Amino acid sequence: MTEMRAVVVDTPNEIAKSNNDLKLSTIPKPTIKSGEVLVKIVAFGVNRMDLLQARGLYPLPPQAPKTLGVEFSGVIVDVSENSSWKIDQEVFGLAYGGAYAEYIAADQNMILEKPDYLTHIQAAGICENYLTAHQAIKTIGKIKPGSDVLIHAGASGVGMAAIQLARHYGAKNVFTTAGSDDKLNTTKSLPLGATHGVNYRTQKFDEEVLKATQNKGVDIIVDMVGQSYFNANINALAKDGHMIMLGVLSGMVAKEVNIGPIIFKRLHIEGSTLRSRPAEYQGGLLKDFKNCALAEVGKTFDLKIHKVFKWTDIAAAHDCMSNNENTGKIVVTVD
């Protein structure tokens, strides 16, 4: 068999004007190169970068295929020569793209064996959220026991992963922001939930953080919002604090920034991505996450899957994320 089914952008220029332009079609089945395994996909996760890519708004790494999708779970059906992986092993992992399909040629460094206690649906929703959060909080933010942490967009998949990881790594106070009290209650009701919730529609998060920390501020901020939060983030950070910027939902250009506190408080401000990093880096991050926290996922940690769609309903899955309906992960099954 040299062909497979996959989700494609069904327009002449392969740029979607709406989510209804996403259709199932037949494309060439990938062949594996040295260092790769062929995985038959059972489920894949939906991420905001997929929505942007479908509309031609996401800069792809050079090794990324046109097919959407960066995380998956499935079963190995073929291995390259000298691979340590075996046929029929159940795995989950990361990809530069190509997960919205029946099969994927996966780098053997960017997959992990699926624990028996996790379903493929659960495993498909782990990597992008938990590795992004782990990288931000532990690798970049250098969290320590007793740290105070602020997680923006706390009801998102990355947000809820970051909240639980921060608590797991010993954070004292975990603040989070969301746009409704219901979403804040969800983040606080997690097994390792947020200790403080701030409704950004009715409260100023920097004022609430400073009030609760006796004007000290937080040691780590994980931000996906961007320019509209930038000045308040600087105000909310403690001395030697780390702000890790993962997104720019409110825009890229921050105006009238007071850079004085960046100097006086010795702040660390760092942007981060995951998809564009080398396979060796992503593989190392996977191994570190496995050693530090994987055993808690699905046990102590709540994976919080919002909804599972069939891939014939891929437009509805993208609509769900486009409309910000989800509290947690959107997962799609392949059949």
Side-chain angles (χ1 to χ4, degrees):
M1 182 173 64
T2 59
E3 293 184 326
M4 67 175 182
R5 292 174 299 160
V7 174
V8 302
V9 179
D10 189 23
T11 64
N13 59 0
E14 298 181 324
I15 295 176
K17 291 184 178 178
S18 79
N19 294 328
N20 290 326
D21 290 330
L22 298 173
K23 303 287 176 60
L24 275 180
S25 186
T26 300
I27 66 171
K29 181 180 175 182
T31 56
I32 54 174
K33 305 189 294 286
S34 177
E36 293 182 335
V37 300
L38 187 66
V39 177
K40 189 176 193 311
I41 295 176
V42 176
F44 58 82
V46 174
N47 294 283
R48 200 161 291 276
M49 73 179 83
D50 302 325
L51 277 64
L52 294 172
Q53 182 180 333
R55 284 166 168 74
L57 300 174
Y58 191 95
L60 296 180
Q63 62 271 66
K66 291 181 180 179
T67 309
L68 305 173
V70 295
E71 61 182 344
F72 61 90
S73 182
V75 181
I76 294 176
V77 294
D78 196 10
V79 298
S80 56
E81 190 176 358
N82 300 322
S83 173
S84 58
W85 293 96
K86 295 180 172 54
I87 291 173
D88 292 333
Q89 277 187 284
E90 296 184 311
V91 297
F92 68 100
L94 287 165
Y96 290 109
Y100 283 29
E102 280 187 284
Y103 296 92
I104 189 168
D107 189 299
Q108 65 182 7
N109 293 312
M110 291 167 61
I111 56 175
L112 291 175
E113 186 166 16
K114 181 182 75 67
D116 291 339
Y117 64 85
L118 291 175
T119 67
H120 280 290
I121 288 171
Q122 290 175 309
I126 291 175
C127 277
E128 192 62 31
N129 285 346
Y130 275 88
L131 287 177
T132 298
H134 173 79
Q135 176 184 238
I137 291 170
K138 184 174 180 292
T139 308
I140 301 172
K142 298 178 171 56
I143 192 170
K144 301 179 180 65
S147 293
D148 290 326
V149 181
L150 169 60
I151 311 294
H152 288 304
S156 67
V158 172
M160 284 193 280
I163 289 166
Q164 295 178 94
L165 284 172
R167 292 287 306 279
H168 175 65
Y169 294 143
K172 178 184 177 183
N173 294 301
V174 177
F175 300 84
T176 191
T177 60
S180 74
D181 291 342
D182 284 344
K183 286 189 174 184
L184 289 174
N185 289 335
T186 298
T187 67
K188 293 166 78 173
S189 66
L190 293 166
L192 292 175
T195 59
H196 300 73
V198 181
N199 187 328
Y200 65 77
R201 299 185 192 279
T202 59
Q203 299 170 289
K204 295 183 177 180
F205 68 80
D206 54 335
E207 293 180 359
E208 297 299 319
V209 162
L210 292 171
K211 187 191 307 179
T213 59
Q214 292 75 51
N215 288 317
K216 167 186 166 284
V218 291
D219 304 291
I220 300 169
I221 294 178
V222 179
D223 180 38
M224 306 83 163
V225 178
Q227 65 89 15
S228 66
Y229 280 11
F230 196 81
N231 282 309
N233 280 341
I234 290 173
N235 192 39
L237 277 169
K239 285 185 178 179
D240 298 306
H242 290 75
M243 177 165 62
I244 302 95
M245 303 191 69
L246 303 179
V248 287
L249 291 174
S250 68
M252 292 187 176
V253 181
K255 298 178 181 178
E256 297 182 1
V257 175
N258 181 0
I259 64 173
I262 298 175
I263 299 169
F264 304 140
K265 293 202 284 187
R266 304 184 298 270
L267 301 182
H268 306 258
I269 299 173
E270 185 168 341
S272 182
T273 60
L274 184 56
R275 188 177 186 180
S276 62
R277 294 184 185 269
E280 293 78 14
Y281 177 94
Q282 295 192 41
L285 193 67
L286 269 171
K287 291 185 178 72
D288 190 49
F289 172 72
K290 177 184 176 182
N291 293 336
C292 294
L294 178 59
E296 305 303 320
V297 177
K299 292 181 178 178
T300 308
F301 299 165
D302 186 346
L303 275 166
K304 213 68 181 176
I305 293 173
H306 175 76
K307 189 171 182 179
V308 179
F309 292 85
K310 293 183 178 180
W311 73 336
T312 50
D313 297 325
I314 188 63
H318 275 224
D319 282 342
C320 182
M321 180 167 282
S322 297
N323 296 330
N324 295 316
E325 296 170 3
N326 59 302
T327 301
K329 193 72 186 181
I330 298 169
V331 176
V332 177
T333 55
V334 175
D335 51 27

